[in-house]
Amino acid sequence: MTQAPNPPAPESGPLPAPVLRIVPPSTLNAAVSIDDGGIVVGWSEEAETVFGWTAREVVGRRLSETIVPQRHRADHEAGLARVRAGGDSLTLGRVIEVEALRADGSEFPAELVIAPPSTDAGGRTRFTAFVRDLTERRRLEQAHAMQFQVTRILVESPTLEDAAPRVLAAIGENLGWDVGLLWVVDRGGDVLRVTAEWSRDGGPARFLAGSRDLSLARGEGLPGRVWSNAVPHAVSDFAAHAAFPRADGAGGSGLHGAVAFPIVAGDEVIGVIEFLTDEVQPPDPVVLGTMSDLGNQLGQFVRHRLAEAELRRHLHELEVLQRSALALSASLDLEVVLDAVAVTAAEALGAPRATVLRRDGDELVIVGEYDASGTSARGCRWPVADLPGAEQVLRGEFWTGTLEGLGPSLHEVTARTGVTAVAMAPVRSGSEAFGILALLSRSPRVLGEDEMRLLHGIASLAGLAVGNAESFRLEREHGRRMASLETAKSEFLNLASHELRSPITVLRGYLSMIAEGTLGPLPERLARVVPLLNSKLAHMNALVDEMLETARLEDNRLQLNARVVDLRDVASACVALCEPALQPGQRIDLRLPEQPVHVTADVQRLEAVVRNMVDNAVKYSPGGGDVECTVWREGGRGLVRVHDHGLGIAPQDMDRLFTRFGRIVTAENSHIPGTGLGLYLARETTRMQGGDICVESTPGEGSTFTLWLPARD
Ligand code: ADP
């Protein structure tokens, strides 16, 4: 390992500030004494441990020849000579850091303080230095510095690849390595490959090139071994490991000691960092511990960054899909929607062209299109089988690749549009395969996983938008059909009522002449059916009246003849008219107040309304049961309520009441004749007069219809 830069030797002139630190001398443990001639006169036990010399070996020898490195010896002697000549010692009483030599020739950083000189029994001046081995402390300091640098680099870096060269440099420089390599697991090939490197001063080019070209399997070489064992590993001489693929290269480049540690993310080794040095170096447990911590730190970094990247990707995807959903919901017109789908896909995925292909039997046809260059192939169609992958996509799968093996029908389209690659996602509307969303490019392009997900997302949104547009179209068509049906109904009403009016009038005229005997005496058998004919004719007349009234209402031709009327009179008249229809034992209970209940109304129409209410109450009570007809005044209103104990109306049918032809036909009432116009006319004409009708009903129990009009004083 290369040593840290040398601090100046003792007594070699003023020392730079950072090297000088004052610490209590008691923390220094090895004591060495020399006389003013530089000869060792005292050597403590600790000194024996620190320097590897025994007292017996050094006492009496020149200090500079034992523990002072060769290059500093002259300075040391010069300093001593200066003190001997009465000069000042620059180091006396101060703690300084120096480099010292051990008996085995190795150098180490040391801290020393020289106590004030003393005089021995023989009157000779004596200098005592207290020395401490700083090797361990230096190592810790370097490890901390390295840790700090690595952390800072990671904070500043977006990815491991980005951080790697600087991380390798921080570790290598601080811990004294010569070459550093980052090996990353290539998942596809299941091998390790070098993705970043660092070397001191340019490093051994051949060894680096050899490493770069290498891919290592699990267990292979030092990095492969660390990959499979997931723990740091050190070798004292890399070049001596014949099984290592680069042993020769390392030897040739003068590299020996090596250490490698795994980058562990979760339970997985995702990479290995390897360092080599020019010294043969026995594995050091402290270094291995530091490396293990580093590997975990790097692994956590990678995991956090991956999680962040994943989150960012998701947010981006969500944003794109949100924008797409907005764009696709802007219109319900299918053609507009299909073009919007193509634009959205091309923009979101940065493609020059996108199309929506609709399946039409065995063919595909371009129904939506976006092309940045303005080229159009809208309406082009070709057999599904001519587009490779199309069948698969229509079945719901995704497809991406280059456009090869196209059927002849596609040659013209691809030549015109110049596309060479395609990615396709299925567009499904409900459970049906509507077609394909195709993203096209004019240079080779295969979509990545994220892009495919996005295209899928847009295709799903497209399916929804297509579904919405289709239902809107159906709804609109249905609306149009209903509107024309309504017109037809109105026309029919007009026509039928007018056309029926005159024959009925003629029939009624003749019938009354027959009944009165104007046309001669009436045979008895014929006389018996005349009342029946009369009643049927009256019924037909009433129907035609209702139809005419409805036609007038719809053409805004209905004229009201309003005057003040007492609701008691209206109710009484209507009840009297309905009584003939009562079943045996059935009654209409008419409840009238003593005071008149005046309202302003078109009497004829008001009577038709109340009559319809009472008629219905009787009609829809096939099992009998009394009917109550109540008139009263409440607040500013005059009210008529008709309550029966008949069939009642189911809650789900309530909406159809009061609508034109709103007959509610059930098993119980299907035999009861009606047009479904009565209540419709009743509500409309009542509303025209400032009032309304409402209903409450319980199936099987009966119904209550209540009419109100503004009361008059
Ligand atoms: P209709 O000529 O069929 O009686 P209406 O407009 O008067 O036409 O009534 C519409 C529908 O409302 C009827 O077909 C019937 O099903 C229901 N209805 C009306 N009045 C009653 C009632 N008192 N009890 C039960 N159902 C009623």
Side-chain angles (χ1 to χ4, degrees):
M1 231 192 277
T2 309
Q3 288 288 335
N6 297 324
E11 317 243 352
S12 60
L15 292 164
V19 187
L20 270 177
R21 272 176 298 149
I22 309 300
V23 292
S26 61
T27 60
L28 304 173
N29 44 25
V32 174
S33 300
I34 51 170
D35 62 17
D36 57 4
I39 302 297
V40 178
V41 292
W43 194 257
S44 74
E45 246 176 66
E46 289 85 357
E48 291 192 348
T49 316
V50 170
F51 296 104
W53 298 93
T54 61
R56 192 193 294 256
E57 285 168 327
V58 281
V59 172
R61 289 184 62 181
R62 186 163 285 283
L63 182 73
S64 63
E65 286 166 10
T66 53
I67 63 167
V68 178
Q70 186 78 49
R71 59 187 182 284
H72 299 313
R73 282 179 189 166
D75 288 341
H76 172 79
E77 293 297 344
L80 265 178
R82 198 165 50 238
V83 173
R84 269 199 308 271
D88 277 345
S89 165
L90 295 166
T91 51
L92 213 62
R94 291 169 141 185
V95 177
I96 56 172
E97 285 184 10
V98 296
E99 277 175 347
L101 205 57
R102 290 196 191 88
D104 64 6
S106 62
E107 279 188 24
F108 67 97
E111 194 171 60
L112 75 77
V113 63
I114 301 170
S118 57
T119 315
D120 67 6
R124 291 185 65 94
T125 310
R126 207 183 152 119
F127 298 96
T128 299
F130 298 92
V131 185
R132 189 164 61 165
D133 184 347
L134 287 184
T135 311
E136 209 45 47
R137 194 162 88 188
R138 273 284 157 73
R139 226 157 52 163
L140 273 175
E141 282 170 359
Q142 279 165 345
H144 281 147
M146 181 268 296
Q147 198 81 45
F148 178 73
Q149 281 179 27
V150 168
T151 305
R152 211 185 48 200
I153 294 164
L154 293 183
V155 167
E156 290 166 355
S157 307
T159 63
L160 180 63
E161 284 66 29
D162 205 67
R166 289 195 293 150
V167 166
L168 291 176
I171 303 172
E173 272 159 11
N174 279 294
L175 301 187
W177 298 95
D178 295 315
V179 173
L181 296 164
L182 168 68
W183 299 80
V184 168
V185 175
D186 172 349
R187 290 222 179 88
D190 205 30
V191 289
L192 280 176
R193 281 211 180 83
V194 170
T195 61
E197 60 187 50
W198 163 86
S199 62
R200 194 183 293 278
D201 315 323
R206 264 192 47 224
F207 177 78
L208 288 174
S211 301
R212 250 177 258 135
D213 293 341
L214 206 60
S215 45
L216 295 173
R218 267 173 218 272
E220 196 183 356
L222 180 61
R225 202 177 275 186
V226 169
W227 179 19
S228 60
N229 297 339
V231 286
H233 193 69
V235 291
S236 46
D237 191 356
F238 191 97
H241 284 259
F244 287 173
R246 293 163 298 154
D248 283 351
S253 303
L255 294 169
H256 298 284
V259 64
F261 62 95
I263 301 175
V264 186
D267 300 334
E268 212 189 335
V269 174
I270 56 162
V272 173
I273 289 188
E274 182 186 42
F275 282 103
L276 294 104
T277 171
D278 59 6
E279 283 178 17
V280 172
Q281 199 179 74
D284 179 342
V286 178
V287 171
L288 288 178
T290 310
M291 296 296 180
S292 169
D293 292 348
L294 266 173
N296 288 336
Q297 188 183 2
L298 291 174
Q300 263 182 18
F301 164 80
V302 171
R303 260 173 55 161
H304 285 157
R305 286 293 189 265
L306 284 180
E308 280 170 16
E310 185 76 354
L311 194 71
R312 267 198 305 276
R313 259 203 311 277
H314 278 312
L315 285 177
H316 170 72
E317 232 167 72
L318 215 66
E319 205 185 293
V320 171
L321 289 178
Q322 245 170 8
R323 255 187 289 132
S324 310
L326 214 67
L328 299 189
S329 59
S331 170
L332 282 170
D333 184 326
L334 188 60
E335 277 180 24
V336 177
V337 166
L338 293 171
D339 280 348
V341 169
V343 174
T344 307
E347 273 178 1
L349 288 149
R353 179 174 172 79
T355 55
V356 181
L357 313 172
R358 184 177 198 156
R359 183 188 200 139
D360 185 7
D362 286 342
E363 290 190 322
L364 287 171
V365 50
I366 298 182
V367 287
E369 185 181 41
Y370 166 79
D371 197 307
S373 67
T375 315
S376 174
R378 192 185 296 278
C380 278
R381 52 171 68 230
W382 60 85
V384 175
D386 277 7
L387 179 62
E391 295 272 12
Q392 213 170 313
V393 178
L394 288 171
R395 279 199 304 272
E397 289 171 32
F398 186 88
W399 197 89
T400 178
T402 49
L403 283 173
E404 280 161 13
L406 294 172
S409 57
L410 269 155
H411 291 166
E412 193 272 323
V413 187
T414 44
R416 174 140 50 103
T417 53
V419 294
T420 54
V422 66
M424 295 185 281
V427 178
R428 306 187 72 82
S429 172
S431 57
E432 283 193 16
F434 172 85
I436 294 173
L437 171 59
L439 196 74
L440 297 135
S441 54
R442 297 190 165 100
S443 53
R445 175 176 180 183
V446 173
L447 293 198
E449 217 174 281
D450 293 346
E451 293 176 310
M452 292 198 294
R453 234 195 353 251
L454 207 54
L455 188 64
H456 242 310
I458 296 173
S460 307
L461 285 174
L464 286 177
V466 164
N468 283 345
E470 286 280 70
S471 3
F472 177 70
R473 190 182 56 78
L474 290 177
E475 198 69 28
R476 203 168 43 189
E477 263 172 27
H478 178 71
R480 279 196 198 123
R481 258 205 319 275
M482 292 308 283
S484 68
L485 253 175
E486 285 294 293
T487 319
K489 267 191 201 170
S490 298
E491 281 167 2
F492 167 77
L493 270 178
N494 242 327
L495 194 79
S497 50
H498 281 110
E499 293 307 308
L500 285 173
R501 187 101 181 112
S502 42
I504 288 176
T505 314
V506 174
L507 278 177
R508 281 177 81 184
Y510 277 110
L511 200 58
S512 77
M513 283 163 75
I514 292 170
E516 285 160 8
T518 320
L519 299 179
L522 204 58
E524 206 195 312
R525 273 170 58 207
L526 195 59
R528 274 210 303 275
V529 296
V530 166
L532 181 70
L533 292 177
N534 253 331
S535 111
K536 292 293 170 196
L537 213 53
H539 189 201
M540 272 178 79
N541 200 42
L543 286 183
V544 170
D545 277 351
E546 268 186 348
M547 285 161 74
L548 267 174
E549 186 80 336
T550 307
R552 271 190 221 114
L553 191 70
E554 292 191 345
D555 298 348
N556 293 322
R557 282 183 287 115
L558 202 127
Q559 300 277 324
L560 294 172
N561 286 319
R563 66 177 174 82
V564 177
V565 60
D566 186 348
L567 277 183
R568 295 180 307 172
D569 297 341
V570 175
S572 307
C574 292
V575 166
L577 283 169
C578 291
E579 264 166 353
L582 288 174
Q583 294 174 45
Q586 194 181 23
R587 279 182 345 107
I588 301 178
D589 184 4
L590 182 63
R591 299 172 181 182
L592 303 175
E594 282 180 10
Q595 300 299 319
V597 181
H598 284 131
V599 295
T600 308
D602 180 318
V603 181
Q604 242 183 323
R605 292 199 160 94
L606 181 57
E607 275 182 359
V609 172
V610 175
R611 175 128 187 237
N612 186 257
M613 287 160 68
V614 183
D615 249 352
N616 281 350
V618 175
K619 212 162 61 160
Y620 295 109
S621 301
D626 289 349
V627 171
E628 287 138 33
C629 177
T630 315
V631 176
W632 81 106
R633 178 184 168 131
E634 192 176 290
R637 296 170 167 189
L639 301 102
V640 181
R641 184 174 63 209
V642 179
H643 174 67
D644 65 57
H645 300 89
L647 297 173
I649 302 156
Q652 68 271 20
D653 293 329
M654 286 293 194
D655 279 355
R656 294 201 36 229
L657 284 182
F658 306 108
T659 62
R660 200 175 59 158
F661 298 114
R663 262 177 77 69
I664 299 155
V665 181
T666 63
E668 289 83 22
N669 74 10
S670 58
H671 63 284
I672 302 170
T675 55
L677 286 174
L679 285 181
Y680 168 69
L681 279 174
R683 174 171 273 176
E684 294 306 315
T685 53
T686 310
R687 282 185 176 172
M688 281 173 78
Q689 297 176 83
D692 206 350
I693 300 186
C694 57
V695 61
E696 283 167 72
S697 186
T698 310
E701 287 185 18
S703 312
T704 307
F705 283 82
T706 309
L707 165 145
W708 66 266
L709 282 166
R712 291 273 320 233
D713 292 324

